[in-house]
Amino acid sequence: MSAPIEKVCLVGANGSLGSVILDALVAAHTFSVSVLVRANSTSTPAHADRITQIPFSPTFDTAELTRLLAGQDAVIAAFPLKDVSQHLRLAEAACAAGVRRYVPADYGSCDARSPRAQRHLQLYRDKAAVQALCETLAKAHEGFSWTSIVSGHFFDWGLRNNVLNMDVAARTALALDDGTARASASTLPRVAQAVVRVLQRHKATRDRFVFVQSFCATPLEVLAALERATGGEAWKTDKAESEAFLDGETKKYEAGDEHALHNIVFALGQVGADWTTREEFAMDLLGLEDEDLDEVVERVVGEMKAEGLA
């Protein structure tokens, strides 16, 4: 594991997060970047002149993936866990192909190992299953290793897509409990930066979780920043008790309300999500510093205004 990570394959390069990770990998100028592209895809990844595109069957056949991933130093999964079997097969194929570092699609909202998270959503049980497989593979194969990056909510993406219960257009907000609990959150560029740093510091990040953030703010601090960025007038704010909110939204989701899924993820990313208290907090390890909350909020709100979204 002493040799640097050079050949990196990204899976999910056209997604909201994957496209930003691709930008960061190319901008690092230290990697030979490949992307797996579904053979039936009509999308073209960015940086087409600087990356290698590898077509693969959308069936996620393990033998095919193993063949295609041969020679890669690292594989990064950056596509949603809608079908956990795809993620399990990708990890197995990476190991079988001799890949040295695998980064599973952990990333956002909360620690998937949390019993609360697993109780409320299959998503986190699936993430935990992928993680368990990575650990098993690493123990059985000395050349294979993994790193799980946990970033908290995707803050900029969440604001733009109104899944953080901070509605920029309507100037309304929902704060859980008294609104003073701190929760770590990351912008998509911060997550991508963490991916690059993990690969550049592969020895220090072997077989471990790394918790990262852009900042660790309270809902009331975020609300105040949003009010400043939208002209200074107070937003309409409601509050809810977190456990009651979680239980209520879980019942709605189980009854078929798909929107409730976003509310469950929102709440789980607000409760017990202060990464600065975790032993696995890795900002210093990765050489990262917090971003400025007001600067991030002003940038996102400015972009939304320019696009007619706020």
Side-chain angles (χ1 to χ4, degrees):
M1 291 292 291
S2 58
I5 297 288
E6 295 179 341
K7 299 188 69 175
V8 180
C9 185
L10 175 64
V11 187
N14 286 323
S16 298
L17 175 60
S19 60
V20 182
I21 292 176
L22 178 59
D23 290 342
L25 290 171
V26 171
H29 300 293
T30 57
F31 306 113
S32 173
V33 182
S34 301
V35 299
L36 283 190
V37 181
R38 295 176 191 263
N40 60 353
S41 175
T42 59
S43 301
T44 301
H47 311 290
D49 60 331
R50 300 178 64 184
I51 64 175
T52 300
Q53 298 182 53
I54 306 175
F56 75 106
S57 168
T59 61
F60 269 74
D61 178 72
T62 304
E64 178 193 34
L65 289 171
T66 300
R67 175 175 57 82
L68 295 176
L69 295 176
Q72 298 291 337
D73 294 321
V75 171
I76 301 162
F79 61 103
L81 269 91
K82 293 180 179 179
D83 181 351
V84 67
S85 69
Q86 294 180 344
H87 290 261
L88 294 170
R89 292 198 295 275
L90 183 62
E92 290 172 342
C95 180
V99 170
R100 293 158 50 201
R101 177 62 49 87
Y102 185 74
V103 179
D106 210 333
Y107 310 118
S109 65
C110 68
D111 184 352
R113 298 170 296 179
S114 160
R116 178 194 283 117
Q118 293 187 22
R119 183 172 70 252
H120 284 284
L121 280 181
Q122 180 65 42
L123 168 64
Y124 299 109
R125 297 193 290 274
D126 289 344
K127 285 188 175 186
V130 176
Q131 180 56 46
L133 175 62
C134 289
E135 293 175 355
T136 298
L137 292 172
K139 289 177 181 177
H141 302 273
E142 184 178 354
F144 178 81
S145 64
W146 58 271
T147 308
S148 278
I149 299 169
V150 185
S151 61
H153 280 314
F154 296 159
F155 184 80
D156 48 349
W157 181 90
L159 279 183
R160 292 180 61 87
N161 290 276
N162 193 23
V163 295
L164 299 181
N165 280 289
M166 298 278 185
D167 190 327
V168 178
R171 307 294 197 264
T172 61
L174 172 67
L176 297 181
D177 301 320
D178 63 0
T180 62
R182 295 194 175 278
S184 297
S186 297
T187 61
L188 294 183
R190 170 47 48 91
V191 180
Q193 189 179 28
V195 171
V196 169
R197 296 294 176 89
V198 161
L199 300 181
Q200 292 173 335
R201 294 161 168 77
H202 61 95
K203 289 188 287 185
T205 58
R206 180 187 177 112
D207 297 338
R208 59 162 291 171
F209 284 81
V210 292
F211 283 68
V212 300
Q213 64 182 31
S214 288
F215 37 72
C216 188
T218 71
L220 294 183
E221 288 172 344
V222 174
L223 175 61
L226 283 165
E227 289 174 340
R228 287 190 290 271
T230 54
E233 293 186 8
W235 286 24
K236 182 181 182 299
T237 307
D238 293 321
K239 292 185 178 180
E241 196 276 322
S242 57
E243 290 303 323
F245 181 83
L246 266 172
D247 290 340
E249 294 302 312
T250 299
K251 290 178 181 177
K252 291 179 184 178
Y253 181 60
E254 292 172 346
D257 182 352
E258 289 296 322
H259 179 71
L261 170 65
H262 297 294
N263 280 333
I264 296 169
V265 173
F266 152 72
L268 290 171
Q270 289 289 328
V271 179
D274 180 350
W275 300 160
T276 66
T277 65
R278 300 294 188 99
E279 183 179 349
E280 298 139 317
F281 190 55
M283 295 289 283
D284 288 343
L285 176 68
L286 298 180
L288 299 174
E289 296 182 354
D290 279 359
E291 298 183 71
D292 183 271
L293 173 62
D294 276 302
E295 290 180 1
V296 171
V297 168
E298 288 176 7
R299 173 176 58 80
V300 176
V301 170
E303 292 170 350
M304 293 177 68
K305 286 180 178 179
E307 297 168 22
L309 301 176

